[in-house]
Amino acid sequence: MSRIVRTRFAPSPTGYPHVGSIRTALFAWLFARRNGGKFILRIEDTDVARTVEGAVESIIAGLKWLGIDWDEGPEVGGSYGPYVQSQRLKLYHEAAVRLIEQDNAYYCYCSLQRLEKMREEQTQRKVPPGYDRHCRNLSQQERELKKAEGIVPVVRFKMPLNGKTRFQDIIRGNVVFENNLMDDFVLMKSDGYPTYHLANIVDDHAMDISHVIRAEEWLSSTPKHVLLYAAMRFEPPQFAHLPLILGPDRSKLSKRHGAVSVMEYRDQGYLPETMLNFLALLGWSLDDKTELLSREQLIEDFSLERVSKTAAVFNIEKLNWMNGVYIRQLSIEEFTRRVTPFLEWDLPAAVKRPLSSEYAAKVMPLIQERAKLLDDAAQLSRYFFVDSLDYDVNLLISKGMTKESTIRALEVSIERLEKVEGFEAVSLEALLRPLAEELQLKTGQLFGALRTAVSGETATPPLFQMMAVLGKMRCLDRISKAIDKLQLLPTQP
Ligand code: GLU
C-alpha cells in the first residue's frame, strides 16, 4: 500500500449506536490498526431535522465501551478538523459554488408542491421516481426572475445523461451503474446545509481518507460520489462496502429482532470483549472456524479480503455462548469487579447498599460458571444477600420423605452444625455425609432438604461451599425457619 491508511467512521447522530453501524466502525478501525494507519471519527450532522440530541454522546460512549479509539475527531482533535460537519459549512459552500461555476451543478427553484406533484405523476405513470430536471436548463433570465421572487434554491448535480459509472470495490469487485438511472440529486439544501453526498466527498478528500469502509446500503450512493470526485478533480479513495446484517429470519436486523443498540447489550451484561469478537465475525472470518479472537488477534489478522460478500446473520445464541466463555475467562477479582454494578442495581431494595465487597468476592466464584450475562448474577446469587427467603415449603420435602422426617433431619442437622468447629466446606462435608447414614437417609435426601432450607432453591452451587459462604449464623437461622415453615404444614394422612 503506497498511501498511509486513513479510515473513518462517519456516523450521523440520528439515534443510538446501532450494532450495524458499530460493526462498520469496528472494521474501519481494525483495518487502520492492522495497517499502522489512522482512524478518524467524523460526525455527519447535516440532516438537522433528523439529528437527535444526545446521539453523539451515546455513539462516543458505545465506541469507548468497546475500546474502539480514534486518532482524530471529537474530544481528541487533529490537524484535519473540525470533525463535525456542521462546523465545516464553508467548505461545502465553496465546493457547491465551484461545481456550479464548472457547470457540474445548477440551482433548482422547484417548490416542494411541484416536486410532490411530479412524484405522484411518476407513481401513476409507473416510471422510476426522480427529479425531472425542470431547472437544469433555465436561462440566466429565468434564474434572475426566480431569485427576484425570493425563492431560495437548492443546488443539484448535473448527472451525465448517458454512459456508465464504474468503480472497484475491495469487497464487491467491479461495480457498474447506468448514469441514466440516477437523477440530478441535491448537493445543497435550501436550509444552507449540504446533503450527505456533497459533505461526505468534500470531507473524505479534505481529511485525506484512503479507504472508505461502510455499509452496503451506501453502495448505490457511491457512483454519485465517484462522479463528484471526478467533477471536483479529487482522487477518490478506495471503497469497501460491508455486507448487510440480518436477523435470524433473514430480514434486515432491526428492533423487531431484539436489542439493536450496543448500549443495550452493555446494560444486559455482555462484556465488551465478547461484543468486539462477535461483531468482528459479522461479515469477516479468519478461517471459517475460529470463533474466539481477542482484540489483539483481531488487529493482527483483520483483512478486507476476508470480508464476505454475503449478508451476515446475527445469531443471539452464539453471542450468549461467547459471553459465557468470556465470563469464565475472567479472573474472579475481575468478574467480581464487573458484576458489582449489576448486583447493586438488580438485587432487591431491601439488601443493604453498598454491598460488602468482601462478601461479594466470596459469593461470586460460586456463580461465575453459570452466568451467561453479568446481569444474571443477581438472579443466581440473590439468596446469598437477602434476609428472608420466600419459597414453596413443599420443596423442602425430598422424595421418599415426609414432613416429620424432614423436620427431624433438619433438627439434628442444627444440633450438629451448632457444634461444628470452623464452618468450612470440608468440615461440613465430613459432618453431613455420615449424618445422612445415621438418619438412614440417602445423602440426596438430606442434602436436598438442607439446600432448599439455606437457599430456597433446588439448583445451587455445591451445597457445602454454599453453606460455608453463607456462614454459620445464616445457615442455622434459615434451617430453623424451614422447620417453622414445615410445622405449619398440615400433616399428611
Ligand atoms: N453518515 C453516514 C452514515 O450515517 C456515513 C456513511 C459513510 O460512511 O459514508 O452511515
Side-chain angles (χ1 to χ4, degrees):
M1 239 161 273
S2 50
R3 205 167 153 185
I4 289 180
V5 167
R6 289 177 58 84
T7 65
R8 83 311 191 261
F9 175 47
S12 302
T14 51
Y16 47 78
H18 189 283
V19 289
S21 83
I22 297 298
R23 192 272 316 249
T24 300
L26 173 61
F27 282 27
W29 175 78
L30 284 172
F31 186 73
R33 293 287 172 264
R34 172 73 190 89
N35 293 290
K38 298 273 184 251
F39 176 64
I40 291 114
L41 174 61
R42 180 174 78 222
I43 305 300
E44 300 206 325
D45 59 345
T46 58
D47 194 342
V48 182
R50 290 185 56 227
T51 296
V52 169
E53 217 190 292
V56 173
E57 289 72 16
S58 85
I59 291 165
I60 285 183
L63 293 173
K64 284 188 178 169
W65 177 60
L66 292 166
I68 300 178
D69 54 344
W70 52 100
D71 305 299
E72 296 169 29
E75 295 187 358
V76 302
S79 41
Y80 296 79
Y83 294 88
V84 177
Q85 289 190 325
S86 58
Q87 295 166 19
R88 303 170 61 83
L89 298 181
K90 195 164 160 268
L91 286 172
Y92 317 128
H93 280 275
E94 284 165 7
V97 168
R98 195 174 134 194
L99 289 167
I100 292 170
E101 282 170 4
Q102 292 174 183
D103 201 26
N104 292 118
Y106 60 91
Y107 289 113
C108 165
Y109 299 88
C110 291
S111 65
L112 288 176
Q113 291 83 332
R114 178 176 183 276
L115 294 175
E116 187 54 41
K117 215 164 133 241
M118 172 196 81
R119 262 191 290 274
E120 273 167 26
E121 279 170 18
Q122 286 169 339
T123 325
Q124 263 170 23
R125 294 194 350 253
K126 296 202 169 51
V127 295
Y131 180 58
D132 60 5
R133 305 196 161 110
H134 182 260
C135 294
R136 182 161 166 147
N137 299 310
L138 292 185
S139 65
Q140 179 66 21
Q141 201 187 0
E142 284 168 314
R143 272 207 299 275
E144 292 300 333
L145 228 60
K146 299 277 186 191
K147 220 165 136 188
E149 280 176 48
I151 303 175
V152 185
V154 302
V155 177
R156 288 183 183 273
F157 185 67
K158 230 176 192 181
M159 225 345 126
L161 298 178
N162 41 47
K164 298 179 201 296
T165 299
R166 301 167 197 278
F167 56 91
Q168 273 291 327
D169 186 277
I170 298 176
I171 296 160
R172 321 201 66 86
N174 237 328
V175 185
V176 185
F177 281 85
E178 297 282 344
N179 292 339
N180 64 7
L181 296 179
M182 293 182 280
D183 76 347
D184 291 356
F185 59 95
V186 175
L187 297 170
M188 247 326 155
K189 297 175 280 185
S190 53
D191 63 2
Y193 278 81
T195 56
Y196 155 69
H197 304 297
L198 180 64
N200 193 265
I201 67 111
V202 166
D203 285 347
D204 281 342
H205 172 76
M207 296 181 181
D208 204 15
I209 298 302
S210 63
H211 293 77
V212 164
I213 299 171
R214 63 182 165 210
E216 186 181 281
E217 60 184 297
W218 300 105
L219 188 69
S220 60
S221 295
T222 306
K224 297 177 184 165
H225 299 180
V226 168
L227 289 165
L228 277 172
Y229 281 114
M232 293 295 288
R233 306 204 209 344
F234 291 162
E235 189 198 333
Q238 287 189 258
F239 297 102
H241 287 89
L242 307 176
L244 282 178
I245 303 177
L246 307 179
D249 61 356
R250 305 199 72 83
S251 67
K252 197 172 165 200
L253 187 70
S254 73
K255 268 213 151 77
R256 241 169 359 96
H257 298 109
V260 281
S261 159
V262 290
M263 302 322 258
E264 287 176 77
Y265 287 94
R266 181 195 63 180
D267 297 345
Q268 287 173 21
Y270 291 90
L271 303 181
E273 42 273 62
T274 309
M275 225 47 211
L276 203 76
N277 186 160
F278 180 78
L279 291 177
L281 295 178
L282 286 179
W284 174 83
S285 69
L286 176 64
D287 53 12
D288 298 322
K289 55 177 196 291
T290 308
E291 301 274 28
L292 299 171
L293 289 139
S294 68
R295 175 191 168 90
E296 291 70 32
Q297 283 168 303
L298 289 170
I299 292 177
E300 177 78 27
D301 292 321
F302 185 79
S303 72
L304 289 174
E305 282 68 37
R306 286 206 56 87
V307 173
S308 87
K309 282 195 202 28
T310 48
V313 177
F314 191 98
N315 179 346
I316 189 83
E317 275 99 48
K318 178 166 155 183
L319 178 64
N320 291 340
W321 162 80
M322 202 178 260
N323 206 49
V325 173
Y326 277 106
I327 283 187
R328 289 192 291 279
Q329 279 178 10
L330 296 176
S331 69
I332 181 60
E333 295 74 34
E334 186 60 15
F335 177 66
T336 308
R337 191 181 70 76
R338 298 217 206 174
V339 99
T340 300
F342 286 84
L343 291 174
E344 297 270 0
W345 178 259
D346 291 334
L347 283 171
V351 176
K352 212 170 119 247
R353 308 293 203 283
L355 302 169
S356 147
S357 52
E358 209 183 313
Y359 184 57
K362 284 194 200 144
V363 173
M364 290 307 122
L366 297 184
I367 63 134
Q368 185 175 8
E369 277 291 307
R370 293 205 292 144
K372 283 225 157 55
L373 301 173
L374 294 176
D375 199 28
D376 293 341
Q379 182 59 30
L380 290 170
S381 66
R382 192 178 181 281
Y383 55 86
F384 282 102
F385 294 95
V386 293
D387 276 337
S388 64
L389 302 177
D390 182 20
Y391 58 90
D392 174 3
V393 57
N394 291 299
L395 295 176
L396 288 163
I397 306 175
S398 301
K399 204 156 162 243
M401 291 183 74
T402 60
K403 166 187 160 182
E404 286 73 21
S405 63
T406 308
I407 292 177
R408 165 111 191 95
L410 294 178
E411 278 172 351
V412 180
S413 300
I414 291 186
E415 275 168 30
R416 301 294 163 87
L417 287 169
E418 270 171 344
K419 286 195 217 111
V420 75
E421 291 273 336
F423 211 72
E424 312 299 327
V426 193
S427 48
L428 292 173
E429 180 159 16
L431 177 84
L432 295 169
R433 262 191 206 286
L435 180 62
E437 201 177 328
E438 193 186 317
L439 293 168
Q440 293 181 329
L441 294 173
K442 291 192 194 114
T443 47
Q445 291 177 312
L446 176 63
F447 296 174
L450 284 170
R451 182 187 309 282
T452 307
V454 300
S455 72
E457 307 276 334
T458 51
T460 68
L463 176 66
F464 310 118
Q465 290 179 26
M466 170 172 73
M467 288 177 70
V469 170
L470 281 165
K472 192 168 187 170
M473 294 283 285
R474 238 192 233 107
C475 286
L476 290 175
D477 174 57
R478 289 182 178 185
I479 300 170
S480 82
K481 286 206 172 106
I483 296 171
D484 296 345
K485 267 172 169 279
L486 283 163
Q487 264 152 357
L488 295 175
L489 263 186
T491 305
Q492 274 142 15

